[in-house]
Amino acid sequence: MIGVHFVFLLLLGVVASTQGANILGLFSSHSPSHLIIHMSVAKALVKAGHNVTVVSMLKPKVTHKDIHLIVVPMKEEQERIMEDQMTEMAGQKNSLVSTMYRLLTSMDVMINAQAELLSDPRFQRIYETKFDLMILGYFINDFQLGVAHKLKVPVIINWMSAPVPAIDKYTGNPSELSYVPLMGTVATQPMGFLKRTENALKSLLFEFIFVVFDYKLTRIYNDVFPEQDMPTLKELRKNISMAFVGSHLISEGPIRPLVPALIEIGGIQVKDKPDPLPKDIDQFISNAKQGAVFLSLGSNVKSSTVRPEIVQIIFKVLSELKENVIWKWEDLENTPGNSSNILYKNWLPQDDILAHPNTKLFITHAGKGGITEAQYHGVPMVALPIFGDQPGNAALMEKSGYGLALDLLSITEDSLRDALKEVLENQKYKQAIGQFSTLYRDRPMTAKQSVVFWTEYILRHQGAPNLQSPSVHMNFIQLNNLDIYALIVTILVLFVLLTRLVAKIVWNKFGGKAKISQTKKKQ
Ligand SMILES: *[C@@H]1O[C@H](CO)[C@@H](O)[C@H](O)[C@H]1NC(C)=O
Ligand SMILES: *[C@@H]1O[C@H](CO)[C@@H](O)[C@H](O)[C@H]1NC(C)=O
Ligand SMILES: *[C@@H]1O[C@H](CO)[C@@H](O)[C@H](O)[C@H]1NC(C)=O
């Protein structure tokens, strides 16, 4: 009887601890598109009955009435620096490496602001609530892991796209450089010698950049958490329970092993059922006999920061189309030009527009979020990438056959017109992305169900050390068995040296004597 009662109480305890848990979402990344992904995770948890508090530095576009939102904006001056940087980047060619360098130098306000946030009184209030779990929206801000330590709660990291080396490190996931192209590398499989060389060199470069970032992040961590009893940042990185990643590799590729602590939630931001569109947009799309084209250059770069000549090229070509065009443009007072087939809007429900059956083409800056939504809804694309992961996303999209990619800075009327005509008229792009869309949706659990299940798993077990790969606690030498190889090589070398030495002694003793005695005889 006592046993039964005990089990019953235990069950009750388990249920109680996962229902209506207090969850903190720390989403301070200064990117609206990152925030959309993080907020979609928060929303899934609120809908599952949890009490979610979100701290962000931007006002989120996706939210829910039951999410407790604390917005602590950047200082105006920092905001201005960020905007200037974005404008500068939109006017030049940017590699992933130059973008990272920029993040370390002129754009480091973005990292510093996330540190200053932690000592803001509006943030400090969170320490008054008893939380059960923290979700950290990751973007070069792992010093914020100190918050979870102070709250004494397990941490889940949320990352916007497929696992990158930093996420691999946190979870002990093998990076498999010989066939997993790093962000920004586009490769046909199996990867040939040159591609593998490129990937390996890039990985070394990233390792170096990591060391530089690590120095900066550790310094910030020590500044923000000067308390004596704080563990080191290194220790906290080894105490991350799980990472959510914005991918679905069995449809997107490359196929690679993923440790159990990496959970794929690619497409979390896509609504199960689209919301109805605002009336004017709905009519504009529905009434287009030839279908509609949707143009958005994303949320980081304001359209007006793209060079005016380029904007004029885009306007000229789009105004000649027989399709209706919806153009995301911030400054409605100063539009690129008037044309009866173009509708300018400064904010658009991207996901809902892409879900509309009459949307035939998406012209995009190739941000991960937009590409994912177009892939989910099977809408072919023309990509005009600008910086960061966008050129890589665009190249991969083109290689997969879902559309064409052009270089935004060097487009001409002809190149743009040809690309639009090709993707609108040749059915192969629509077919390829339609097939992908079917694969992408075919899963045992939806992205939202995965988020809810695994978050509650971590809550039930108060962390998940059972899921953690032992490799998290090994250094580079141990993990790659370099010490063992070194030992084997040492033994081999010693053996060869010893053999030579012995041979020499033997030679001197016998062969040498024989020779000497022979020469003696001749004399
Ligand atoms: C929900 O979280 C807020 C903090 O944002 C807290 O004040 C409130 O007490 C929590 N509600 C419950 C039922 O725990
Ligand atoms: C477009 O039309 C509006 C009024 O309909 C006008 O105010 C604006 O100046 C026009 N813009 C251009 C570039 O012609
Ligand atoms: C490690 O995480 C667990 C929960 O998963 C937490 O209880 C513990 O305090 C954390 N340790 C440190 C050093 O932060």
Side-chain angles (χ1 to χ4, degrees):
M1 248 343 247
I2 291 172
V4 172
H5 265 131
F6 182 68
V7 169
F8 183 70
L9 281 180
L10 209 66
L11 278 178
L12 211 67
V14 166
V15 172
S17 72
T18 63
Q19 264 182 3
N22 267 333
I23 299 175
L24 172 67
L26 182 43
F27 306 148
S28 57
S29 162
H30 197 75
S31 159
S33 59
H34 295 181
L35 196 52
I36 287 175
I37 308 280
H38 301 322
M39 289 304 290
S40 304
V41 168
K43 200 167 160 179
L45 290 169
V46 159
K47 283 188 169 168
H50 297 290
N51 184 28
V52 183
T53 305
V54 165
V55 181
S56 71
M57 302 186 73
L58 295 168
K59 202 168 160 336
K61 298 204 166 115
V62 173
T63 186
H64 187 278
K65 63 177 176 29
D66 294 335
I67 295 180
H68 302 273
L69 198 57
I70 304 174
V71 182
V72 184
M74 260 189 184
K75 294 198 189 78
E76 251 172 55
E77 188 191 318
Q78 292 171 324
E79 198 88 51
R80 215 184 38 245
I81 296 176
M82 286 296 293
E83 210 158 285
D84 290 350
Q85 288 292 321
M86 290 293 179
T87 308
E88 208 175 290
M89 285 168 89
Q92 65 188 41
K93 262 190 153 1
N94 301 282
S95 69
L96 198 55
V97 171
S98 71
T99 306
M100 284 195 151
Y101 178 73
R102 198 180 275 269
L103 280 172
L104 263 176
T105 52
S106 38
M107 249 162 96
D108 71 351
V109 285
M110 205 186 72
I111 301 177
N112 298 338
Q114 298 194 68
E116 287 162 26
L117 165 72
L118 303 187
S119 42
D120 192 290
R122 286 166 287 181
F123 178 81
Q124 292 271 334
R125 279 215 311 270
I126 62 133
Y127 292 118
E128 290 159 20
T129 303
K130 164 103 189 61
F131 284 101
D132 303 303
L133 179 105
M134 172 169 130
I135 301 179
L136 176 64
Y138 178 67
F139 194 68
I140 335 181
N141 55 352
D142 59 8
F143 51 81
Q144 294 181 339
L145 289 170
V147 175
H149 175 78
K150 284 178 77 168
L151 292 169
K152 299 199 173 48
V153 294
V155 184
I156 298 176
I157 278 209
N158 193 40
W159 171 247
M160 295 68 67
S161 50
V164 289
I167 302 295
D168 286 339
K169 279 194 171 74
Y170 293 139
T171 51
N173 197 48
S175 286
E176 305 291 327
L177 285 176
S178 59
Y179 61 92
V180 179
L182 288 171
M183 212 177 190
T185 304
V186 179
T188 19
Q189 299 284 6
M191 280 159 65
F193 183 77
L194 282 180
K195 266 295 161 195
R196 280 182 292 124
T197 312
E198 181 192 326
N199 216 40
L201 290 179
K202 221 177 196 174
S203 145
L204 281 180
L205 186 67
F206 277 134
E207 286 293 332
F208 171 71
I209 294 176
F210 268 140
V211 173
V212 183
F213 270 125
D214 183 44
Y215 176 78
K216 188 177 174 71
L217 295 172
T218 305
R219 214 189 49 211
I220 292 179
Y221 175 80
N222 293 335
D223 283 353
V224 182
F225 301 103
E227 299 92 325
Q228 284 303 318
D229 55 345
M230 287 297 282
T232 63
L233 178 55
K234 266 208 174 69
E235 283 167 329
L236 291 187
R237 284 179 184 144
K238 292 179 184 171
N239 199 31
I240 292 167
S241 292
M242 182 165 274
F244 291 152
V245 289
S247 57
H248 183 246
L249 296 185
I250 60 172
S251 60
E252 297 169 323
I255 295 304
R256 61 179 290 195
L258 294 179
V259 292
L262 264 180
I263 300 298
E264 293 194 291
I265 59 161
I268 180 79
Q269 77 275 33
V270 184
K271 295 187 201 107
D272 301 329
K273 220 174 124 246
D275 289 336
L277 288 168
K279 240 205 178 87
D280 56 337
I281 299 177
D282 185 45
Q283 277 180 0
F284 191 71
I285 299 181
S286 304
N287 296 344
K289 292 213 173 54
Q290 302 291 334
V293 172
F294 174 34
L295 164 65
S296 166
L297 296 183
S299 42
N300 286 325
V301 177
K302 301 223 173 357
S303 324
S304 51
T305 61
V306 178
R307 283 214 306 267
E309 312 89 270
I310 293 177
V311 173
Q312 276 314 306
I313 291 173
I314 298 176
F315 172 74
K316 177 101 198 302
V317 174
L318 291 183
S319 64
E320 293 164 359
L321 289 178
K322 49 189 193 311
E323 287 81 9
N324 275 356
V325 178
I326 299 201
W327 188 332
K328 177 168 176 285
W329 183 268
E330 282 78 14
D331 184 3
L332 294 177
E333 309 272 286
N334 294 297
T335 62
N338 292 334
S339 172
S340 62
N341 73 328
I342 301 183
L343 176 67
Y344 299 99
K345 286 276 167 187
N346 54 10
W347 190 78
L348 288 162
Q350 176 159 296
D351 183 20
D352 302 327
I353 294 178
L354 290 170
H356 196 291
N358 220 14
T359 304
K360 286 170 65 181
L361 171 70
F362 180 34
I363 306 175
T364 171
H365 68 305
K368 172 76 183 162
I371 291 205
T372 301
E373 286 162 26
Q375 285 176 334
Y376 187 92
H377 296 296
V379 180
M381 290 167 264
V382 168
L384 305 171
I386 300 170
F387 59 82
D389 62 340
Q390 299 160 8
N393 294 342
L396 186 62
M397 182 279 290
E398 182 175 80
K399 200 185 132 271
S400 310
Y402 308 151
L404 295 174
L406 298 175
D407 177 20
L408 178 67
L409 296 179
S410 60
I411 53 168
T412 60
E413 281 180 31
D414 286 338
S415 70
L416 183 60
R417 193 178 292 122
D418 291 349
L420 296 183
K421 189 168 148 58
E422 167 70 11
V423 180
L424 280 167
E425 289 175 9
N426 193 332
Q427 282 305 303
K428 72 176 185 187
Y429 302 100
K430 173 83 191 155
Q431 270 160 18
I433 201 165
Q435 266 169 12
F436 174 86
S437 169
T438 315
L439 268 184
Y440 192 65
R441 296 167 186 225
D442 198 351
R443 312 179 189 190
M445 280 199 275
T446 66
K448 293 183 183 72
Q449 287 166 344
S450 299
V451 161
V452 172
F453 176 83
W454 287 106
T455 304
E456 291 181 352
Y457 183 94
I458 302 288
L459 284 166
R460 276 196 293 275
H461 306 288
Q462 282 128 46
N466 57 309
L467 285 186
Q468 191 180 54
S469 163
S471 67
V472 170
H473 300 279
M474 297 169 92
N475 64 33
F476 184 79
I477 292 175
Q478 295 165 327
L479 186 57
N480 293 285
N481 270 346
L482 296 185
D483 44 357
I484 297 179
Y485 297 135
L487 181 67
I488 293 175
V489 170
T490 313
I491 291 175
L492 281 178
V493 169
L494 279 181
F495 181 74
V496 170
L497 288 180
L498 219 65
T499 317
R500 275 183 56 177
L501 194 69
V502 170
K504 213 167 169 180
I505 293 170
V506 170
W507 173 256
N508 284 345
K509 219 170 181 148
F510 302 103
K513 264 193 192 144
K515 233 185 196 166
I516 291 165
S517 58
Q518 267 178 13
T519 39
K520 269 187 183 163
K521 261 184 201 166
K522 269 185 193 161
Q523 281 175 349

